[in-house]
Amino acid sequence: MTQVTYLNNIVQPFYIICIYRPAQQSQQQSFYQEFSNIWSSFSPTTRRHTILLGDFNLQLHRQHQAPSTWRNILATELVDCITPSGGTPLPTFKSSRYCSCIDYIFRGSDLVTKRPDVFFLDSADWTDHCLLTTCIPLPIISGPGIWRFHPSYLSQDPFLEKLFYLFDVLEENSSSTPISPQEAWDALKAAVK
């Protein structure tokens, strides 16, 4: 488990747990028991501020594949960040024979996520899994000393490529409601950070 903290403590810390559930049935019972023990040792506040992600090696919509304690944690304490509410899970794993959803990102109830996405990588030589992403919007705090842009980045092609991509994403996700130039600038700064 990793604790994520933010500059000047303006955002409450949150936690990230990356798991790998063994595909071998002989190792699954010990995995479930160990995870259950670790999860129950966390305070309720910690659980509500946790992101659980990884290769679950099971299709969660097939409920019989996991013990009830595991399903209960996922159903009552965490929210699926990838599968649309009431929707069908997108495939996150593909082999020469089939595609399935076995990789997930879950969040605690006090965290908010948006813009989930699943990307198939053209990297069959090194992975058969997809890249999963989600966005955790953090509060924007403005004022002196919080954000500084170093102009030397503008001479770096890799940075410019990412910046132009960010502009495209921001434009795609912008609302039709007009905002002030200051609000637009603050949104850009928050995204670049």
Side-chain angles (χ1 to χ4, degrees), residues 14 16 50-53 79-83 104-108 111-119 131-138 173:
F14 61 94
I16 299 174
T50 295
I51 294 172
L52 176 67
L53 57 91
V79 177
D80 185 343
C81 297
I82 301 301
T83 307
Y104 296 90
I105 301 175
F106 284 89
R107 66 170 171 82
L111 297 174
V112 175
T113 58
K114 60 182 185 178
R115 291 196 312 266
D117 221 335
V118 175
F119 295 99
L131 172 65
L132 307 181
T133 66
T134 192
C135 178
I136 303 171
L138 300 175
N173 293 320

Side-chain angles (χ1 to χ4, degrees), residues 173-191:
N173 293 320
S174 65
S175 68
S176 58
T177 308
I179 61 173
S180 72
Q182 183 63 48
E183 290 171 319
W185 177 241
D186 288 342
L188 175 63
K189 290 189 303 186

Side-chain angles (χ1 to χ4, degrees), residues 94-148:
K94 65 179 179 178
S95 71
S96 59
R97 298 179 312 194
Y98 65 92
C99 294
S100 62
C101 181
I102 61 172
D103 305 286
Y104 296 90
I105 301 175
F106 284 89
R107 66 170 171 82
S109 59
D110 285 356
L111 297 174
V112 175
T113 58
K114 60 182 185 178
R115 291 196 312 266
D117 221 335
V118 175
F119 295 99
F120 281 102
L121 303 176
D122 291 329
S123 308
D125 55 330
W126 63 273
T127 186
D128 48 9
H129 292 263
C130 295
L131 172 65
L132 307 181
T133 66
T134 192
C135 178
I136 303 171
L138 300 175
I140 298 173
I141 306 295
S142 59
I146 297 296
W147 190 83
R148 286 178 178 57

Side-chain angles (χ1 to χ4, degrees), residues 18-43:
C18 184
I19 66 163
Y20 173 79
R21 177 190 164 267
Q24 299 79 14
Q25 195 165 10
S26 62
Q27 299 173 355
Q28 292 172 6
Q29 187 59 36
S30 62
F31 165 82
Y32 288 126
Q33 186 61 48
E34 185 177 345
F35 180 83
S36 181
N37 291 341
I38 291 170
W39 187 257
S40 63
S41 72
F42 298 150
S43 72

